[in-house]
Amino acid sequence: MKMLVSGSARLQGQIVVSTSKNAILPILAASMLSSGTVIVRQIPLIRDVHIILALLHQMGLKVDHDQDRIAISGSPQHHVPDYELCRQIRASFLLMGPLLARCGQVQISLPGGCAIGTRPIDLHLKGFEALGASITMSGGCVNAAARRLTGTHVYLDFPSVGATENIMMAAALARGTTYIENAALEPEVVDLAGFINSMGGRVSSAGSNVIKVDGVSSLGGTTYTPIPDRIEAGTYMVAAAACGGDVLINNVIPEHIKATTAKLLESGAKIEEQADAVRVSRWQEIRPVYIKTLPYPGFPTDMQAQFMAYLCSARGSSIITESVFENRFMHVNQLLRMGAQIITEGRTAVVRGIPQLSGTTVKATDLRAGAALLIAAMAASGETIIEESEHIDRGYENIVSKLNHLGAKIYYL
Ligand code: EPZ
């Protein structure tokens, strides 16, 4: 797939953020923990969600689509998620915790690495072993088995979002109490805890460094609406600032985007926070800033590429350090093709601003790098073709129609 983007766009108007991809994926996995019917509302129709739903169906659950509502019922009928489907998205690994809890065993494909890093799973497996599972590897799969999981203390060497979520889901039906120490604080982790508790689970202090999970014997049905997508919101905020203009972004929790808001303010953008919206405008020059990505509530790694695209036209040099993933500068080479002046050394990039990037043909390498190129292309002079643009659509619902509604000119080729 390719996108053709006209440059020098000025974005004006209102845009609505969809429900969070990174909240929904673990919540859909956790629906397997329920012995009742789970209804999840406001599901974004994006590829990653479709793949997880296909996996739930393949596991034998009943999955009914009703516009943007999904009803999931039944229990997993086996413990081997489809290998080819799992390899298509890393988040499939989040099925491991629920399957271990419901079936007492699981055989799942090792999640592939991806453009941004090797994406290890050692912390997930450390948690499952601590809960009493025995783990073996064979043929590109992880095999885990446990008669009954038993609550325990698990210390995470790094506050991994996925490991925190996977261990929380396994612990929800374990015997006894589990403490996840040095847990991830991300809003998506808190939302997963809220979802599990809405089914009758007992997860407390999610959003702090130590999450306590009191295992229960079974979980019931629920109807749940996940949180808005803070990274989609941040992406549109940065797009509005990069292109200049005045955009009201609806369906936002301002608390979840504090770091992005702070850095945009430092760069000279104007931000007006409302109860569930944020208004972004920029009329003056872009000031350079220092960015270091950190686990929440630090500056989100998922916003790093988009912010770099914006800072390519700052009046001065910015410094960006990517401390979460080891290879998340894949967008740099593509921005250089557009005339950007960026030097990288290890996990640090120095971005020397120029007046305006120039349109050309570039390639999306991953979801957020693709979003960065879209921002760069809208702000650049001339036209840009973004190759492999499917990377963008897999994580942003209706992004082309949403941005064109604001005055962008983006076409699928
Ligand atoms: C989640 O990935 C998100 N994905 C990512 O968003 C996000 O970038 C990341 O959290 C960090 O915020 C989903 O929620 C589906 P991690 P996850 O485990 O859980 C290391 C996007 O663009 N680590 O917190 O895989 C790992 O190598 C995606 O929407 C271990 O060392 O992230 C990395 O350096 C990209 N061992 C760091 O932790 C482990 O067992 C953060 O990874 C697990 C992780």
Side-chain angles (χ1 to χ4, degrees), residues 21-22 25 90-91 94 116 119-124 158-163 165 186 301-302 324-326 328 367-368:
K21 164 180 86 77
N22 289 352
L25 295 176
R90 269 190 52 75
L94 293 170
I116 64 178
R119 311 295 293 275
I121 55 165
D122 57 306
L123 299 177
H124 299 242
F158 181 90
S160 155
V161 172
E165 293 168 342
E186 272 71 1
T301 176
D302 292 348
V324 176
F325 287 106
E326 69 268 27
R328 204 166 195 178
L367 171 58
R368 307 304 175 185

Side-chain angles (χ1 to χ4, degrees), residues 1-310:
M1 285 280 278
K2 295 179 182 178
M3 283 178 187
L4 172 64
V5 186
S6 297
S8 305
R10 281 188 78 78
L11 303 181
Q12 304 272 352
Q14 299 199 30
I15 193 168
V16 181
V17 173
S18 299
T19 307
S20 166
K21 164 180 86 77
N22 289 352
I24 281 182
L25 295 176
I27 282 172
L28 292 176
S31 65
M32 284 199 292
L33 294 169
S34 173
S35 305
T37 296
V38 167
I39 293 173
V40 184
R41 295 190 300 201
Q42 295 178 19
I43 292 272
L45 303 177
I46 52 179
R47 176 181 165 278
D48 281 9
V49 168
H50 289 312
I51 291 175
I52 287 287
L53 292 175
L55 277 164
L56 295 180
H57 178 71
Q58 185 258 334
M59 299 304 299
L61 285 98
K62 191 170 179 301
V63 179
D64 292 313
H65 242 136
D66 171 14
Q67 289 163 3
D68 69 344
R69 274 166 44 119
I70 300 283
I72 300 162
S73 56
S75 300
Q77 299 305 303
H78 61 86
H79 64 277
V80 185
D82 179 78
Y83 185 87
E84 285 314 315
L85 277 175
C86 284
R87 290 184 59 74
Q88 291 183 40
I89 55 166
R90 269 190 52 75
S92 56
F93 203 66
L94 293 170
L95 297 179
M96 189 165 182
L99 284 172
L100 205 45
R102 290 300 304 276
C103 306
Q105 58 180 339
V106 52
Q107 179 183 320
I108 191 165
S109 150
L110 275 166
C114 67
I116 64 178
T118 53
R119 311 295 293 275
I121 55 165
D122 57 306
L123 299 177
H124 299 242
L125 302 182
K126 175 182 181 181
F128 296 140
E129 285 180 321
L131 287 165
S134 58
I135 308 269
T136 58
M137 307 273 195
S138 62
C141 284
V142 178
N143 309 289
R147 258 192 312 285
R148 177 91 198 267
L149 297 171
T150 305
T152 183
H153 281 255
V154 183
Y155 174 79
L156 296 181
D157 307 49
F158 181 90
S160 155
V161 172
T164 301
E165 293 168 342
N166 234 338
I167 295 163
M168 184 197 295
M169 291 187 282
L173 293 178
R175 184 181 34 235
T177 298
T178 298
Y179 293 90
I180 307 171
E181 294 160 359
N182 195 28
L185 311 181
E186 272 71 1
E188 294 75 23
V189 170
V190 177
D191 208 24
L192 176 63
F195 174 73
I196 291 172
N197 289 343
S198 75
M199 296 190 289
R202 294 173 57 198
V203 182
S204 47
S205 63
S208 78
N209 300 89
V210 181
I211 298 177
K212 182 183 175 200
V213 186
D214 290 308
V216 295
S217 54
S218 68
L219 290 167
T222 185
T223 297
Y224 200 81
T225 303
I227 55 173
D229 194 316
R230 63 190 171 96
I231 303 301
E232 182 189 0
T235 301
Y236 295 141
M237 292 168 73
V238 172
C243 296
D246 188 344
V247 176
L248 179 64
I249 299 157
N250 295 301
N251 195 29
V252 166
I253 298 176
E255 184 58 34
H256 290 174
I257 52 168
K258 282 284 181 218
T260 301
T261 300
K263 285 299 170 183
L264 280 173
L265 286 169
E266 279 181 36
S267 74
K270 275 173 61 56
I271 307 269
E272 178 193 321
E273 281 186 4
Q274 299 174 13
D276 60 355
V278 65
R279 184 171 177 181
V280 181
S281 58
R282 184 183 62 81
W283 311 104
Q284 64 184 47
E285 66 184 12
I286 301 168
R287 291 198 292 264
V289 296
Y290 292 173
I291 299 270
K292 179 172 185 178
T293 68
L294 287 167
Y296 192 87
F299 189 90
T301 176
D302 292 348
M303 284 300 306
Q304 179 258 112
Q306 300 92 308
F307 226 92
M308 185 185 287
Y310 168 54

Side-chain angles (χ1 to χ4, degrees), residues 7-9 242-243 312-314 338-340 353-359 376-382:
S8 305
C243 296
C312 284
S313 300
M338 299 179 75
I354 62 169
Q356 189 174 26
L357 297 178
S358 307
M378 287 189 292
S381 62

